[in-house]
Amino acid sequence: YRYETADCVQTAFSVAFSGDGQYVFGGFKKEIVSWSTCKPGSDYHQHFKAVNKNHFGQKSIISCLQFMHGHSHIFASGCYDGMAQIFDVRSNPNGSASQFAIAAFKCVEQRNYGITQLRFSPCNNYLLCGSRKNDDIYCWDLRYLKNAYYVNALFAESLNEKLMNGNTKVYKDNDQRMSLCAKYKRSIVNHQKVQFDIDRYQGYWIVSGNQTANHCNVYSVNCNAFEVEPMHMLQHDENVSSVSSAQLCPTYPFLATTIGQRVSTTTSAKAQPEPEPEPASDSDSDSSDDESTVTNCNDICIWDLRHKQ
């Protein structure tokens, strides 16, 4: 599959299959394209513009795509400009060739860094957004969106055409409806992608990596606090300084975490009485008494959640 503009092949920065597997979606800069899995080639099926007719929307790279559980027509997109949007493949205002987002989520009280991962809760009522160089996992409440645009407040039902006019409904963290319902605290200090996951059966637990410590964070969604601290911390070995990913097994009570680091330490050699060395050549003039050691730690750890640690 390929997408061409002005006879130039564009690079997709993110990909995702639809819920039924009939279409594959690719995220580009300011736009999203879908192709039918039954028909490879450059002929795309649908085209979505991440920037609407009012010049509002995602104006950078579409970094991640995520479909709703049990739905093949509603998906979310994350962008490096810090905005998340929700699209419905059934929306086509005024019969236009391109489709726009039906809702956008933006943080205005503090700087929102580029989004690197999205997850829907099992009930599809909440959207989790993880960003780079940002210590929070944002949890957005989607129930107001259901009441605003969908019949019987269900995503499975059809869109309310009277309310859907092609404009993107914007939800912010400082509005009166409290669209942003929780922040799950973790430590992210650079632009590296740190993955998280949510319990796919009941949605009670959220797990996430951590960049500045040797533990995996485990959160409870039943906490009533707005800023949620980890309830449990799964400790790794002492030589581990960062946990880059945490994923729950979809079929068994197992948790997988990844640790990948390369730490360089410098130690000074102790002075020992030695005979006078010969004059050093030009090639040895840059040598020093400091010894540098490199510690590599690249492992995948499997945790059995049936036993208490």
Side-chain angles (χ1 to χ4, degrees):
Y1 305 97
R2 64 181 181 270
Y3 175 58
E4 299 178 357
T5 57
D7 295 332
C8 296
V9 179
Q10 301 297 319
T11 301
F13 299 96
S14 56
V15 293
F17 281 98
S18 61
D20 54 8
Q22 295 184 5
Y23 301 97
V24 59
F25 289 70
F28 300 86
K29 187 175 181 179
K30 300 182 181 180
E31 53 189 352
I32 301 170
V33 177
S34 68
W35 301 267
S36 173
T37 54
C38 300
K39 186 180 179 182
S42 58
D43 296 332
Y44 58 84
H45 175 67
Q46 285 179 306
H47 180 265
F48 304 87
K49 286 187 177 181
V51 180
N52 64 7
K53 58 186 179 182
N54 296 324
H55 305 287
F56 174 84
Q58 297 170 321
K59 301 179 181 179
S60 184
I61 293 173
I62 306 299
S63 57
C64 52
L65 299 171
Q66 180 69 34
F67 271 83
M68 275 189 172
H69 300 286
H71 298 287
S72 59
H73 47 262
I74 300 178
F75 66 93
S77 65
C79 184
Y80 279 153
D81 64 359
M83 182 181 294
Q85 293 192 139
I86 290 183
F87 294 83
D88 194 322
V89 300
R90 301 170 297 181
S91 64
N92 190 10
N94 302 325
S96 61
S98 299
Q99 297 168 259
F100 303 99
I102 60 175
F105 303 91
K106 181 69 174 179
C107 292
V108 296
E109 289 188 346
Q110 60 181 0
R111 182 176 179 181
N112 195 356
Y113 295 89
I115 296 176
T116 57
Q117 188 182 4
L118 298 169
R119 280 289 186 271
F120 283 101
S121 63
C123 61
N124 291 329
N125 286 333
Y126 303 94
L127 176 65
L128 299 174
C129 302
S131 305
R132 57 185 183 181
K133 208 174 181 180
N134 190 355
D135 293 337
D136 300 326
I137 300 175
Y138 295 102
C139 181
W140 297 91
D141 193 342
L142 305 181
R143 289 174 292 181
Y144 296 108
L145 174 63
K146 292 183 180 182
N147 294 325
Y149 280 157
Y150 289 86
V151 179
N152 297 329
L154 293 175
F155 282 121
E157 299 292 339
S158 61
L159 282 166
N160 192 337
E161 299 295 341
K162 296 181 180 179
L163 298 176
M164 183 62 191
N165 55 3
N167 293 325
T168 302
K169 193 174 184 63
V170 184
Y171 293 91
K172 301 179 181 179
D173 57 344
N174 61 351
D175 59 7
Q176 297 180 357
R177 294 184 177 182
M178 295 299 294
S179 298
L180 183 63
C181 56
K183 293 181 181 180
Y184 297 93
K185 310 298 291 184
R186 59 179 182 173
S187 179
I188 308 297
V189 296
N190 55 32
H191 293 281
Q192 180 185 0
K193 178 180 179 180
V194 177
Q195 291 184 322
F196 66 91
D197 200 4
I198 185 172
D199 175 19
R200 302 181 186 180
Y201 294 100
Q202 297 178 330
Y204 286 165
W205 303 100
I206 297 175
V207 295
S208 174
N210 201 11
Q211 272 194 341
T212 59
N214 65 338
H215 59 261
C216 169
N217 296 337
V218 181
Y219 311 90
S220 174
V221 299
N222 293 325
C223 181
N224 295 326
F226 179 72
E227 296 186 355
V228 183
E229 298 291 341
M231 178 175 288
H232 305 286
M233 297 182 181
L234 303 181
Q235 299 287 339
H236 293 71
D237 295 336
E238 295 182 355
N239 60 340
V240 176
S241 61
S242 176
V243 179
S244 58
S245 177
Q247 293 291 309
L248 292 166
C249 179
T251 55
Y252 295 99
F254 296 146
L255 169 67
T257 59
T258 60
I259 50 178
Q261 60 187 21
R262 188 172 185 271
V263 181
S264 178
T265 58
T266 303
T267 58
S268 299
K270 295 182 179 180
Q272 299 291 339
E274 294 180 357
E276 295 182 0
E278 297 180 358
S281 61
D282 294 339
S283 60
D284 299 334
S285 60
D286 294 336
S287 62
S288 61
D289 293 337
D290 295 338
E291 296 180 357
S292 178
T293 59
V294 177
T295 302
N296 291 329
C297 187
N298 304 286
D299 298 326
I300 298 177
C301 304
I302 305 297
W303 303 78
D304 190 348
L305 302 181
R306 294 171 298 181
H307 304 282
K308 294 182 178 181
Q309 301 295 328

